[in-house]
């Protein structure tokens, strides 16, 4: 399953990845905070959509991502 | 909605209280809560603040003012007694999920509260924060977890403005700041002013997330 940056705002469509809370091959549970992104005045924790394993991180810390962009992949368990 | 007035308290202890409330709000154990507090002097660095911000480290060290990293958005700011800090822990999960809309709401409700105590403050679409003419009076930096908000907005009321001259507030060089005290040429009553801000916040939250357009609320 793809981890997609959710739409955080109608005005700001880009955010910077400020921290990954999990690494590749880590088991994750639904709603666990996977990563933190920041816009100009806000930070937002992106949760895991399901139980599973974080198999691939596609975008790294300090990278800018757009709403709707795939940032990681999880295999569902 | 509940109001939690913590009086004057240290930054770290209040942050722990916020996190506790945040987790309870996510679990649906508590209602939306507005924390109101004045902090002991402290400088905080938001997630985009890191080391890049210009601030006079020697001044803050001499004044014994700690510099604390924070997980909120935004860059550098400072808090001190006489400044009202508002930390709304509000669940947006089943409301309008839009970070910019929420920031607009916070800026507008603070601006309206300042107007009520006689300060000609404005929310402007060009610059974040709340302004009185060219001077900044309120500073914003928020965070969200599972669409529940924490951190918030600080408003200069009676506090000393000197620490702001020792930094680039919010990372913007040359930003001039002001306070309600400077605008009104007198101190404001903190207790009464907190009540004005809390009532305005509760009313505006209801309206902003009740389907009324933001622009229609404050006209």
């Amino acid at each position: 399953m793809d981890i997609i940056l959710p739409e955080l705002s109608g005005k700001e469509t880009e955010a910077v990845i400020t921290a990954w809370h999990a690494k590749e091959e880590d088991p994750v549970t639904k709603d666990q905070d996977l990563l933190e992104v920041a816009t100009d005045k806000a930070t937002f924790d992106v949760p895991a959509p399901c139980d599973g394993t974080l198999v691939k991180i596609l975008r790294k810390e300090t990278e800018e991502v757009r709403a709707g962009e795939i940032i990681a992949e999880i295999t569902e368990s | 909605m509940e109001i939690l007035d913590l009086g004057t308290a240290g930054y770290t202890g209040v942050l722990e209280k916020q996190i506790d409330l945040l987790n309870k709000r996510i679990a649906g154990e508590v209602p939306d809560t507005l924390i109101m507090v004045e902090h002991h002097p402290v400088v905080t660095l938001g997630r985009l603040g890191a080391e890049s911000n210009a601030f006079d480290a020697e001044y803050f060290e001499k004044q014994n003012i700690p510099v604390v990293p924070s997980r909120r958005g935004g860059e550098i700011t400072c808090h001190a007694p006489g400044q009202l800090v508002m930390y709304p822990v509000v669940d947006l999960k089943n409301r309008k999920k839009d970070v910019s809309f929420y920031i607009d709401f916070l800026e507008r409700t603070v601006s309206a509260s300042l107007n009520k105590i006689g300060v000609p403050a404005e929310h402007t679409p060009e610059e974040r924060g709340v302004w009185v003419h060219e001077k900044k009076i309120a500073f914003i930096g928020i965070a969200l977890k599972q669409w529940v908000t924490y951190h918030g907005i600080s408003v200069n009321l009676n506090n000393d403005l000197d620490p702001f001259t020792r930094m680039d507030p919010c990372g913007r060089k040359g930003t001039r700041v002001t306070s309600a005290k400077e605008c009104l040429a007198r101190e404001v009553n903190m207790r009464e002013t907190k009540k004005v801000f809390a009532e305005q916040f509760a009313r505006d939250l209801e309206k902003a997330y009740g389907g009324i357009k933001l622009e229609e609320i404050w006209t």
Side-chain angles (χ1 to χ4, degrees):
Chain A
M1 181 183 281
D2 294 334
I3 309 297
I4 291 168
L5 180 70
E7 191 173 324
L8 303 178
S9 157
K11 283 184 191 167
E12 296 169 271
T13 54
E14 288 176 353
V16 175
I17 297 177
T18 41
W20 270 100
H21 303 310
K23 56 185 189 305
E24 287 181 0
E25 304 307 323
D26 276 358
V28 296
T29 53
K30 187 176 184 312
D31 289 338
Q32 176 188 332
D33 294 332
L34 281 184
L35 71 152
E36 178 196 79
V37 295
T39 61
D40 183 23
K41 294 290 179 188
T43 61
F44 187 94
D45 284 320
V46 179
C50 59
D51 292 345
T53 303
L54 178 62
V55 285
K56 189 83 190 157
I57 290 176
L58 298 167
R59 306 302 298 268
K60 306 219 164 6
E61 280 179 23
T62 73
E63 281 192 58
E64 208 163 80
V65 285
R66 295 182 71 84
E69 207 172 305
I70 301 168
I71 42 187
E73 289 166 12
I74 282 183
T75 49
E76 220 168 324
S77 62
Chain B
M1 205 198 89
E2 285 189 358
I3 309 290
L4 184 59
D5 185 352
L6 296 179
T8 303
Y11 184 80
T12 311
V14 174
L15 180 58
E16 283 169 13
K17 181 75 195 166
Q18 274 195 82
I19 302 295
D20 179 51
L21 267 176
L22 169 73
N23 289 327
K24 285 180 175 157
R25 187 70 192 103
I26 289 169
E29 294 168 3
V30 294
D32 290 332
T33 305
L34 172 62
I35 298 172
M36 303 184 98
V37 67
E38 294 169 62
H39 282 307
H40 299 306
V42 64
V43 171
T44 65
L45 300 173
R47 289 303 262 160
L48 302 180
E51 302 301 318
S52 63
N53 275 295
F55 69 102
D56 185 347
E58 199 181 318
Y59 167 84
F60 291 107
E61 203 180 323
K62 270 190 189 156
Q63 300 283 321
N64 216 12
I65 298 176
V67 178
V68 180
S70 167
R71 283 194 64 188
R72 64 168 170 78
E75 301 192 24
I76 190 169
T77 197
C78 62
H79 306 297
Q83 183 197 60
L84 173 61
V85 186
M86 297 164 68
Y87 296 126
V89 179
V90 171
D91 189 353
L92 302 180
K93 206 165 42 254
N94 298 312
R95 291 165 162 154
K96 188 177 171 72
K97 290 200 275 193
D98 187 316
V99 175
S100 297
F101 181 87
Y102 175 71
I103 293 173
D104 279 349
F105 150 71
L106 268 188
E107 290 176 347
R108 285 171 185 267
T109 190
V110 163
S111 178
S113 302
L114 284 164
N115 292 165
K116 278 208 169 140
I117 63 165
V119 177
E122 292 176 298
H123 147 90
T124 72
E126 296 84 28
E127 278 275 9
R128 283 299 184 197
V130 179
W131 298 77
V132 181
H133 307 302
E134 303 292 306
K135 293 181 175 179
K136 200 167 192 176
I137 193 166
F139 308 81
I140 201 154
I142 66 157
L144 298 101
K145 184 181 165 83
Q146 294 185 36
W147 285 104
V148 177
T149 68
Y150 62 118
H151 292 286
I153 188 161
S154 54
V155 192
N156 290 343
L157 296 175
N158 294 331
N159 50 304
D160 175 21
L161 298 179
D162 192 48
F164 285 101
T165 66
R166 310 293 181 143
M167 63 171 65
D168 298 328
C170 302
R172 303 279 200 285
K173 238 182 177 42
T175 299
R176 293 188 300 155
V177 302
T178 191
S179 64
K181 182 181 168 186
E182 187 178 76
C183 294
L184 301 170
R186 62 170 170 80
E187 289 213 339
V188 299
N189 179 305
M190 288 300 290
R191 198 175 160 164
E192 285 172 14
T193 304
K194 274 185 192 174
K195 201 165 168 248
V196 170
F197 276 72
E199 286 174 1
Q200 186 77 40
F201 180 90
R203 264 201 310 273
D204 290 345
L205 181 72
E206 188 68 28
K207 289 178 183 171
Y209 288 94
I212 299 170
K213 282 183 185 168
L214 275 180
E215 293 73 18
E216 290 170 8
I217 298 169
W218 285 273
T219 51

